[in-house]
Amino acid sequence: MATTITGPAPARTPGRRLPAAALAWVTAYGALRAYWAAGHRPGDLSPVGTDLVVFTGWGSVALCGAAAIVLAALALARADRVGRGPRLALTAAGWTAAVCLVASGAMLLLDVVGGILPGLGIGFYPLGALSRAAVVAAGITTGLSVRAYTVRHAVRDRAGCAACGRPATAPGPLDRTPAWAFWAAYLAVAGCVTRIVAQAVVGFGESPMSAGPSAVLFEAGFVLGGSLLPLALVHSFGRTWPRRVPGLAGRRVPRRLVLWPGTAISGGLVVYFGLMLLQMCWERLHGRNPFPPEGGLDLPEAFFWVAVPAYFAWGAGMAAAARGYARRTRTPCASCGR
């Protein structure tokens, strides 16, 4: 039987301490940004010099300050008692700050690839990578704080489960993978295939990456991440080990083994290539080639107008498929069944 509440959210509802922890993190990082912006930034922190994109210098300090103000408001007990208008404004400001923080650390995707495969030829800047990891963590914790705040109000306003905190209108685990998740997964596969075809047209030798074992590992991971992983998010072999797998056949696949890589890779692709696509549109609208020949790499502009949207479609499709997988494999609440 479902247990519901109609009064203030119980102590077990999520996010009571998270805004305070996120506030401490953002404040500390903002202080570091201010120190660097004051003329103490250490050398090159990325291939383009600065460690962040979009929000750099004092702009990054202002962004951290804005996020800190939102988190400070969320950490106040009275924030749960404000009216609908201020609540929506606070929520919108929080999500905006979270998205901007994550977007400013978009080059973290290159750090991960370059750090795991150092022989690939992608420059790795340890201090810059730590800075980008810190700002992405700040964005994620800010977003989680806003989400927890939203859930608390949903529980309070619409009656929810006292055990799990989900509102009465929240959907339960899915009995089957929805059609939209299948379409999303195959969109991700199509994006990967399109990217490979685009490279084949211009020639596989026209690549800035170095050859060697790291390149082989990268290419193998590239193909698996664009084919096996999206399909595992929607097909049964992503939930139960197939019969051909010795020792594991018929057993449940650990949820995090599929969901975590799918979420991380899709998030990196969407953020990095989404920003790149916006930059390309901006440059072209101003009559400039978004990718002028440099560094010995001379590829036609049309290649990027195919490859970058393909990457973005890959990430967006896999993100939606991961959402479907998360709902399909979620353990229902023992009290309300949601």
Side-chain angles (χ1 to χ4, degrees):
M1 178 181 296
T3 303
T4 60
I5 61 170
T6 56
R12 294 183 62 185
T13 51
R16 293 289 181 180
R17 298 179 180 177
L18 182 58
L23 174 60
W25 183 270
V26 170
T27 301
Y29 184 72
L32 175 64
R33 301 299 316 177
Y35 178 74
W36 283 0
H40 304 286
R41 185 173 68 87
D44 289 339
L45 299 173
S46 76
V48 296
T50 183
D51 56 330
L52 304 183
V53 295
V54 184
F55 295 91
T56 59
W58 287 107
S60 64
V61 179
L63 176 59
C64 290
I69 292 173
V70 172
L71 290 168
L74 293 175
L76 295 174
R78 69 183 67 180
D80 286 349
R81 300 191 293 271
V82 300
R84 178 178 175 81
R87 184 198 318 168
L88 291 177
L90 183 59
T91 301
W95 280 120
T96 301
V99 170
C100 290
L101 285 167
V102 172
S104 64
M107 287 189 293
L108 183 62
L109 178 64
L110 296 181
D111 297 323
V112 173
V113 176
I116 295 175
L117 301 171
L120 203 58
I122 298 177
F124 182 70
Y125 301 78
L127 186 57
L130 287 175
S131 174
R132 287 182 281 275
V135 76
V136 169
I140 291 174
T141 53
T142 299
L144 291 175
S145 298
V146 178
R147 181 180 181 275
Y149 177 74
T150 304
V151 169
R152 288 202 304 272
H153 276 283
V155 171
R156 187 190 70 179
D157 296 345
R158 290 178 282 173
C161 176
C164 68
R166 296 190 181 102
T169 55
L174 297 172
D175 296 328
R176 56 187 296 273
T177 302
W180 56 262
F182 278 100
W183 281 104
Y186 281 94
L187 173 64
V189 175
C192 178
V193 172
T194 301
R195 171 63 181 87
I196 295 174
V197 171
Q199 189 66 53
V201 170
V202 298
F204 288 101
E206 297 294 329
S207 173
M209 296 186 301
S210 302
S214 293
V216 174
L217 291 174
F218 174 80
E219 290 167 1
F222 184 97
V223 173
L224 292 176
S227 58
L228 183 64
L229 183 55
L231 297 181
L233 291 167
V234 295
H235 288 284
S236 61
F237 69 83
R239 301 184 300 275
T240 304
W241 292 106
R243 288 178 295 178
R244 67 179 70 93
V245 180
L248 296 174
R251 296 186 180 183
R252 184 185 298 273
V253 176
R255 187 172 187 250
R256 65 187 65 179
L257 184 64
V258 179
L259 183 59
W260 287 10
T263 302
I265 294 174
S266 62
L269 290 174
V270 168
V271 172
Y272 184 80
F273 290 101
L275 282 177
M276 185 179 292
L277 187 57
L278 289 175
Q279 182 183 11
M280 289 170 59
C281 293
W282 175 264
E283 293 294 321
R284 182 38 60 196
L285 287 174
H286 287 77
R288 297 187 293 264
N289 182 355
F291 294 95
E294 61 181 357
L297 184 64
D298 185 6
L299 292 174
E301 184 181 347
F303 165 80
F304 296 101
W305 285 107
V306 174
V308 174
Y311 272 123
F312 183 77
W314 176 359
M318 193 155 64
R323 174 61 178 164
Y325 183 88
R327 290 185 57 188
R328 176 75 191 273
T329 58
R330 189 179 74 199
T331 302
C333 173
S335 295
C336 68
R338 291 192 292 271

